[in-house]
Amino acid sequence: MGDTPVIGVLALQGDVREHLIALAAADAVARPVRRPEELAEVDGLVLPGGESTTISKLAALFGVLDPLRARVRAGLPVYGTCAGMILLADKILDPRSGQETVGGIDMIVRRNAFGRQNESFEAAVDIKGVGGDPVEGVFIRAPWVESVGARVEVLAEHEGHIVAVRQANALATSFHPELTGDHRVHSLFADMVRASRTPESL
């Protein structure tokens, strides 16, 4: 398939379709992923926005949570937006009962930190590694990052709060770039996936 990465979107709950469209626009082959055998066939994975507790429970139910954790630990490129950011956190400040995460980024995340659904907003966000004008960030019941470990690079802040981070092959944003028609963040992730692939796999 040449230099075209196959990137999955965890398709259990949330805004899956919008991510599939954005990834295709970023010159990736985009596939929904629900089961371990589908996870095994992708070069990278997006964890979409939605409800983080529901996504983690469905991931366990579909038998994909543990394989996903293993692949992330092994270096699978992964990008989480909003609820996906919560899922990638090694620690949640205010978890719901029984809530689990995939982990992969040494950060502490606060759920719904920017407010409830009716307090959703849009804001221009300067993201390190994304050229051109600021990205329009759509914040919907969005988390923020309370603190990060030494290996985590902060890519963006909004009003003094961390809203985008990267650690090795893991990327996370508090906001939803897939809802704006601006595919630059997905292109950044697709480039991360390309860079992670060995020559033998191309």
Side-chain angles (χ1 to χ4, degrees), residues 11-29:
L12 301 175
Q13 193 256 354
D15 53 345
V16 174
R17 177 177 173 273
E18 292 85 352
H19 277 293
L20 291 171
I21 291 170
L23 289 167
D27 296 323
V29 174

Side-chain angles (χ1 to χ4, degrees), residues 105-108 145-154 162 164-165:
I105 299 180
D106 182 12
M107 62 181 175
I108 299 173
V145 179
E146 288 276 333
S147 63
V148 298
R151 295 168 296 161
V152 179
E153 181 182 13
V154 174
I162 299 169
V165 295

Side-chain angles (χ1 to χ4, degrees), residues 15 18-19 22 79-82 127 135-138 173-186:
D15 53 345
E18 292 85 352
H19 277 293
Y79 170 36
T81 61
C82 197
I127 304 176
V135 169
E136 193 66 19
V138 179
T173 60
S174 297
F175 49 88
H176 295 266
E178 74 280 3
L179 299 180
T180 65
D182 181 345
H183 308 305
R184 286 177 293 163
V185 179
H186 289 79

Side-chain angles (χ1 to χ4, degrees), residues 3-183:
D3 197 34
T4 306
V6 178
I7 302 179
V9 179
L10 189 64
L12 301 175
Q13 193 256 354
D15 53 345
V16 174
R17 177 177 173 273
E18 292 85 352
H19 277 293
L20 291 171
I21 291 170
L23 289 167
D27 296 323
V29 174
R31 295 180 181 172
V33 168
R34 296 180 184 86
R35 301 189 180 279
E37 55 269 26
E38 296 167 337
L39 175 64
E41 295 175 349
V42 300
D43 303 310
L45 186 72
V46 171
L47 304 180
E51 211 295 304
S52 58
T53 309
T54 301
I55 294 173
S56 68
K57 288 179 178 177
L58 288 171
L61 184 66
F62 277 75
V64 77
L65 184 59
D66 287 338
L68 176 55
R69 284 175 174 152
R71 285 209 66 189
V72 170
R73 282 196 300 269
L76 175 74
V78 63
Y79 170 36
T81 61
C82 197
M85 169 184 266
I86 297 169
L87 288 166
L88 288 177
D90 284 347
K91 184 177 179 182
I92 305 171
L93 194 64
D94 48 353
R96 286 189 175 179
S97 177
Q99 183 167 11
E100 296 188 80
T101 70
V102 174
I105 299 180
D106 182 12
M107 62 181 175
I108 299 173
V109 169
R110 183 186 291 274
R111 299 170 58 254
N112 299 337
F114 282 107
R116 309 297 298 176
Q117 187 87 18
N118 61 358
E119 297 171 285
S120 300
F121 63 95
E122 295 186 21
V125 182
D126 282 305
I127 304 176
K128 191 182 300 183
V130 175
D133 293 333
V135 169
E136 193 66 19
V138 179
F139 293 80
I140 303 171
R141 289 188 302 144
W144 68 48
V145 179
E146 288 276 333
S147 63
V148 298
R151 295 168 296 161
V152 179
E153 181 182 13
V154 174
L155 302 183
E157 296 187 18
H158 176 68
E159 296 183 344
H161 300 292
I162 299 169
V163 296
V165 295
R166 178 178 178 179
Q167 180 178 331
N169 284 335
L171 176 70
T173 60
S174 297
F175 49 88
H176 295 266
E178 74 280 3
L179 299 180
T180 65
D182 181 345
H183 308 305

